Amino acid sequence: MSPLDPADYKRMLLVLDDVRGAADMARFGDRLRTALAEHFGWTDATVRLQEVTGATDSREDGRLRSVVPLADGSGDRLLIIVPRPGTPRRRTVLELLGRQLAPLARDVARMPARPLLTPRETQVAELVAEGLGNQQIAVRLGITVSTVKKHVSRVLAKSDCDSRVRFVVLWRRLTDFSGD
């Protein structure tokens, strides 16, 4: 392992701070790509999830890659980070960064996905999460109680929740985790 400059350790901490709190793996990957570009200048880095298909090689198309195993309950998957061709410094940074990214990526991979809601369903979901009843939501949004009930039913169905209480717990988890 090549010795690193103290500035490299600081950059790695900045990368970790930038990815922390991502709500899903797509955002995690986007944040990681952006952070690697911003803090290390690796503008051509690729970050993706890949199913485990057997032995993993540490190179891809002649380029060094960092492989982070994820145990996320949906099968064995890997988080793959591919920067520019590797120097000893890059290999060391990737090895150390991969070790620190693994628990963060596993947490994100375990998080349920935020339901895909329409803008109005999102408004209703936020008001349900605040503890408002159907009548209060109807008054706040200027819609009928019947319309609120339809939106709440769709929100519960899309989030795979069988009650408002379960939905509130899920919504708070998702919004607390993502920082939204």
Side-chain angles (χ1 to χ4, degrees), residues 51-125:
E51 298 299 321
V52 175
T53 56
T56 58
D57 187 5
S58 64
R59 296 197 170 268
E60 179 175 289
D61 300 330
R63 297 194 304 169
L64 174 76
R65 70 182 186 170
S66 177
V67 177
V68 179
L70 302 178
D72 64 358
S74 64
D76 294 329
R77 298 193 299 174
L78 303 172
L79 177 71
I80 310 291
I81 307 165
V82 184
R84 293 182 284 189
T87 63
R89 175 180 161 263
R90 284 194 186 97
R91 283 191 289 274
T92 301
V93 167
L94 276 178
E95 184 178 327
L96 294 174
L97 193 55
R99 288 183 202 162
Q100 300 305 312
L101 284 169
L104 293 175
R106 281 188 210 107
D107 287 345
V108 172
R110 283 189 204 111
M111 284 296 297
R114 192 171 188 161
L116 296 174
L117 304 176
T118 66
R120 180 60 92 180
E121 289 168 347
T122 301
Q123 288 176 319
V124 170

Side-chain angles (χ1 to χ4, degrees), residues 7-22 27-29 31-40 66 68 79 81 93-108 177:
D8 286 327
Y9 291 102
K10 182 177 179 180
R11 287 185 200 99
M12 283 189 281
L13 289 173
L14 292 170
V15 168
L16 294 171
D17 282 344
D18 288 352
V19 300
R20 187 172 282 115
R27 290 183 187 150
F28 186 90
R31 287 183 182 188
L32 182 54
R33 261 188 301 281
T34 301
L36 290 172
E38 181 179 337
H39 303 299
F40 284 97
S66 177
V68 179
L79 177 71
I81 307 165
V93 167
L94 276 178
E95 184 178 327
L96 294 174
L97 193 55
R99 288 183 202 162
Q100 300 305 312
L101 284 169
L104 293 175
R106 281 188 210 107
D107 287 345
V108 172
F177 191 76

